[in-house]
């Protein structure tokens, strides 16, 4: 494939394609920017936060090299992936609904940032990550989700 050629190996292209949410152009960009390892660390740490194995501080530390826009996008994608893997009963639970409210809040922040707002990056991310841990971080929603392959919904 084209991406294999760009990345140098099939294994690397598959890893980056997974990190990029199956978007080949983004995967190629990640390869050029050598950002794959940082994104993998954030993805792994976020999975730990959702499962109740790691805390907000670990995720904030993993996101230190990212811009606000990148960190918000990663957080949004992680929550969205978590919610996509839930069955209808879990989606309708209080935690499931709270996850959707978090997505709405992140989108509002992204819109404000794109409109020229300049919030304090660290303060904003610390607050959002702490809220994410409080709402979704007990392992109640994610215990079986992290191991599921993409597209395997119940």
């Amino acid at each position: 494939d084209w991406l294999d050629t760009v990345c140098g190996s099939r294994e690397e292209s598959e890893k980056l394609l997974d990190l990029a949410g199956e978007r080949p152009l983004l995967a190629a960009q990640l390869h050029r920017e050598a950002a794959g390892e940082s994104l993998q660390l954030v993805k792994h740490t976020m999975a730990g936060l959702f499962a109740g194995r790691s805390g907000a501080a670990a995720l904030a530390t993993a996101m230190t090299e990212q811009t606000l826009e990148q960190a918000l996008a990663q957080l949004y994608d992680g929550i969205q992936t978590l919610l996509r893997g839930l069955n209808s009963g879990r989606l309708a639970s209080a935690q499931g609904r709270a996850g959707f409210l978090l997505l709405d809040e992140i989108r509002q922040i992204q819109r404000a940032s794109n409109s020229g707002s300049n919030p304090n990056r660290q303060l904003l991310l610390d607050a959002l990550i702490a809220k994410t841990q409080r709402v979704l971080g007990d392992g109640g929603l994610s215990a079986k989700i992290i191991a599921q392959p993409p597209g395997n919904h119940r």
Side-chain angles (χ1 to χ4, degrees), residues 4 9 20-21 36 40-41 43 45 52 62 69 75 81 101 105 107 110 114 117 132 140:
D4 295 343
S9 74
Q40 184 64 38
L41 175 63
K43 186 176 181 178
T45 307
E69 292 76 18
L75 192 56
T81 299
L101 291 174
E105 185 175 345
R107 278 290 184 230
Q110 287 173 321
N114 290 338
S117 174
T132 300

Side-chain angles (χ1 to χ4, degrees), residues 5-44:
T5 306
V6 170
C7 295
S9 74
R10 178 66 148 186
E11 181 180 303
E12 181 69 12
S13 67
E14 287 177 355
K15 182 176 88 170
L16 290 171
L17 199 56
D18 180 51
L19 284 173
E22 303 301 318
R23 294 173 285 195
L25 293 177
L26 180 58
Q29 180 182 353
L30 291 175
H31 176 73
R32 282 191 305 276
E33 296 173 356
E37 290 180 20
S38 172
L39 292 177
Q40 184 64 38
L41 175 63
V42 170
K43 186 176 181 178
H44 178 72

Side-chain angles (χ1 to χ4, degrees), residues 93-107:
S93 71
Q95 268 189 313
R97 289 190 308 273
F100 284 109
L101 291 174
L102 271 171
L103 290 178
D104 289 343
E105 185 175 345
I106 292 169
R107 278 290 184 230

Side-chain angles (χ1 to χ4, degrees), residues 46 49-50 56 59-60 63 68-69 71-76 79 98-99 101-110 119-137:
M46 196 176 314
L49 181 113
F50 292 150
L59 184 55
M63 290 182 158
L68 177 61
E69 292 76 18
L72 289 173
Q74 279 274 147
L75 192 56
Y76 188 92
I79 295 168
L101 291 174
L102 271 171
L103 290 178
D104 289 343
E105 185 175 345
I106 292 169
R107 278 290 184 230
Q108 288 175 346
I109 293 167
Q110 287 173 321
N120 180 311
R121 179 200 177 280
Q122 194 61 47
L123 184 64
L124 179 62
L125 281 180
D126 286 349
L128 270 176
I129 293 170
K131 186 172 187 177
T132 300
Q133 182 181 23
R134 212 174 33 254
V135 172
L136 302 173

